[in-house]
Amino acid sequence: MASMLRLYNTLTREKAAFTPIDPTNVRMYACGPTVYDAAHIGNARPIIVFDLLFRLLRQLYGAPHVTYARNVTDVDDKINARAAERGISIRELTDGTLKAFHADIRELGVLMPEDVNVPGERPRFVEPRATDHIAEMHTIIAGLVTRGHAYVADGHVLFDVPSMPEYGALSKRPLDEMEAGARVEVAPYKRSPLDFVLWKPSKAGEPSWPSPCGIAEPGRPGWHIECSAMSWKHLGERFDIHAGGIDLIFPHHENEVAQSRCCFGTDVMADVWLHNGFLQVEGEKMSKSLGNFITIRDVLKDWPGEVARLAMLKTHYRQPIDWTLRGLEEAARMLDRWYGVVGDVAAAEAIPEGVREPLLDDLNTAAALAELHRLDEPAALKAGANLLGLLTQTKSARDQGTIRAAGVDVARVEALIADRRAARTAKDWAASDRIRDELLAMGVALKDGKDGTTWSVAT
Ligand code: AMP
Ligand code: ZN
């Protein structure tokens, strides 16, 4: 019997067997990007890690039985400011940024909605946008006010934190500590310093929507309410897995839990909470001021997306990851070797146990990759790697891609190889060597074998 998936749950601080609420519709939600500017390589981590989980769940429960919602935050202070700066609407700004983000992550071998959704069937992968869910936010906000968990004050709607005794259960922060943290500059309209904004008035020039709860002035949502609205709309009041970066545990996820549970009167919002560790660059926190801020696009300028994906998966998702040049070089070497082994063979039907088992153990990618290293049977290696979203192309297709990326003129290479063959037949070794050097200068390496000469882009 196949072993079960085990996941480390931030809610319980324990690793436990995963049991879906409904195995015919396993539902996961991941907090996606805030699309105001190019995504950085840290943002790629949850995207890649939870893509792997989505693939694994599809493998375990069958592709039609898994639903994945990964949201897009398309309204917030940074977005509003950037759009105002450029004199465009937030929709124009976020459409452009989202398009670039999609192009970036597609190269990282991440499944996209169009890869998994079947026309005419219920979508299995949705990418909801906050501004398309204002109506759902209004419903939840109104529900919270009716149930006595939120109040209107000074054009705002605030969540009444003391009204929820279990507040803090996810982040395990003692209430007094949170209160002390929140006490800096408490807005006068708050009953408790911990209360957080569900809805607020828009400042002049900011985007705005009609307000809920009879507030006359138009306004805009607070940050947390969007994920309660989108997860409810697409996955229901209670669902299986909620994921995001570790920085989101408090306050974002804590507040999501408070909103959803208090509105729907449920004991849990999501059964399992997963959080990826942070990415740093060459041992330092990534930040614009340190000059080590790397966008996904920066990485893709120098490396194939598959190399970046593998470099990301070498570290267990809960550990901090150090993004280094050495790590990328190592990943590139591993992939070269594996492509050499698999060539153009098709993947085996069965996924090797040695790869599947560690992945089922809270996505132990390091152990799964170590097993891939040991596999020398091409079809098995390919099947195992495919589950990780690796080796998804044939060696020939990859070589072609490398050739295109290097801008090599294939017709000229073939002509020079023919000339060299003629020179060798005529025993004109000087000419043969000259041609080899010329090709090398073009970035093409030759290999003479018993079946003739093959070439590849020199690395
Ligand atoms: P943001 O665009 O800042 O809302 O972040 C989108 C996602 O990326 C969230 O799940 C964050 O937790 C995650 N994230 C942001 N920075 C990093 C980082 N340096 N390392 C890992 N994850 C990150
Ligand atoms: Zn969220």
Side-chain angles (χ1 to χ4, degrees):
M1 207 189 93
S3 42
M4 283 193 84
L5 173 62
R6 291 167 60 78
L7 294 171
Y8 180 86
N9 188 352
T10 306
L11 199 55
T12 57
R13 303 288 195 271
E14 270 175 5
K15 196 154 65 171
F18 171 67
T19 319
I21 301 164
D22 171 6
T24 69
N25 188 18
V26 182
R27 288 159 290 160
M28 68 183 269
Y29 184 92
C31 290
T34 306
V35 283
Y36 74 102
D37 204 349
H40 60 66
I41 191 65
N43 298 134
R45 193 173 195 199
I47 297 288
I48 292 174
V49 163
F50 302 123
D51 170 70
L52 173 60
L53 178 62
F54 182 43
R55 287 167 183 268
L56 192 61
L57 291 171
R58 284 162 64 83
Q59 224 273 324
L60 285 173
Y61 296 96
H65 305 303
V66 183
T67 308
Y68 181 20
R70 186 185 64 210
N71 84 285
V72 175
T73 299
D74 64 352
V75 55
D76 90 325
D77 288 343
K78 283 184 282 206
I79 292 173
N80 298 344
R82 185 65 59 92
E85 228 172 80
R86 297 218 185 132
I88 55 174
S89 68
I90 59 164
R91 193 72 185 201
E92 251 177 289
L93 173 73
T94 57
D95 274 352
T97 317
L98 184 58
K99 202 162 158 224
F101 177 71
H102 283 156
D104 286 351
I105 62 170
R106 186 170 259 298
E107 283 192 48
L108 298 172
V110 169
L111 289 177
M112 302 295 275
E114 58 270 30
D115 299 327
V116 305
N117 291 337
V118 181
E121 285 182 21
R122 179 181 64 77
R124 277 23 179 234
F125 187 173
V126 288
E127 223 183 359
R129 294 174 68 144
T131 56
D132 292 335
H133 296 75
I134 301 289
E136 288 79 5
M137 296 183 203
H138 280 193
T139 307
I140 296 177
I141 293 171
L144 287 170
V145 172
T146 308
R147 285 173 168 264
H149 289 292
Y151 58 94
V152 177
D154 205 6
H156 295 68
V157 188
L158 293 135
F159 186 91
D160 181 352
V161 170
S163 76
M164 187 199 193
E166 294 113 311
Y167 186 83
L170 179 68
S171 57
K172 309 259 188 292
R173 291 191 174 203
L175 219 61
D176 51 352
E177 199 182 280
M178 288 192 280
E179 257 180 48
R183 214 163 260 139
V184 217
E185 277 192 63
V186 183
Y189 46 80
K190 285 190 182 180
R191 286 184 195 162
S192 153
L194 288 176
D195 295 352
F196 59 89
V197 168
L198 301 171
W199 192 266
K200 59 184 166 185
S202 295
K203 296 195 192 94
E206 280 182 351
S208 64
W209 292 265
S211 294
C213 309
I215 300 169
E217 303 77 30
R220 62 185 180 104
W223 170 29
H224 318 296
I225 192 69
E226 64 176 77
C227 287
S228 285
M230 289 183 269
S231 61
W232 171 48
K233 165 90 184 277
H234 299 280
L235 305 178
E237 292 180 359
R238 178 181 162 190
F239 50 95
D240 298 291
I241 297 171
H242 193 312
I246 195 163
D247 58 318
L248 299 184
I249 298 177
F250 187 87
H252 185 51
H253 289 168
E254 194 72 64
N255 291 352
E256 279 187 42
V257 172
Q259 294 163 163
S260 295
R261 283 190 50 196
C262 291
C263 175
F264 305 125
T266 46
D267 291 339
V268 281
M269 176 190 189
D271 286 1
V272 183
W273 288 78
L274 302 183
H275 292 100
N276 65 270
F278 248 45
L279 174 146
Q280 52 174 18
V281 173
E282 304 284 355
E284 281 188 328
K285 183 176 165 17
M286 178 167 55
S287 81
K288 290 209 165 125
S289 58
L290 285 174
N292 64 353
F293 187 89
I294 308 173
T295 64
I296 302 177
R297 199 37 55 188
D298 292 334
V299 173
L300 294 174
K301 272 186 209 130
D302 296 334
W303 302 92
E306 194 173 15
V307 168
R309 182 181 179 94
L310 175 55
M312 198 69 88
L313 291 176
K314 278 191 297 177
T315 305
H316 187 263
Y317 77 93
R318 281 197 285 121
Q319 300 300 319
I321 184 170
D322 194 16
W323 190 258
T324 61
L325 182 61
R326 222 180 114 228
L328 285 157
E329 286 167 348
E330 215 175 87
R333 276 197 301 275
M334 278 162 86
L335 281 169
D336 283 343
R337 191 177 85 71
W338 290 343
Y339 271 109
V341 175
V342 298
D344 291 353
V345 302
E349 281 281 320
I351 289 161
E353 279 302 296
V355 176
R356 194 168 172 271
E357 287 299 311
L359 291 182
L360 290 177
D361 180 16
D362 195 32
L363 305 181
N364 187 346
T365 47
L369 292 170
E371 176 63 13
L372 288 182
H373 245 332
R374 281 189 288 270
L375 287 173
D376 49 14
E377 209 282 293
L381 171 55
K382 180 129 178 159
N386 281 178
L387 182 58
L388 287 136
L390 297 167
L391 305 188
T392 50
Q393 38 181 351
T394 60
K395 179 169 190 305
S396 305
R398 179 179 192 247
D399 290 347
Q400 287 302 318
T402 316
I403 290 162
R404 268 199 309 281
V408 172
D409 179 346
V410 176
R412 171 125 183 85
V413 171
E414 302 287 352
L416 282 168
I417 290 175
D419 289 352
R420 179 168 171 270
R421 200 182 311 120
R424 286 162 73 90
T425 311
K427 299 204 180 338
D428 185 351
W429 309 119
S432 163
D433 286 351
R434 211 172 38 246
I435 295 171
R436 174 188 282 270
D437 290 346
E438 190 179 332
L439 282 162
L440 209 53
M442 288 167 64
V444 170
L446 299 183
K447 199 166 153 195
D448 296 313
K450 60 179 178 353
D451 300 324
T453 301
T454 55
W455 64 276
S456 59
V457 175
T459 44

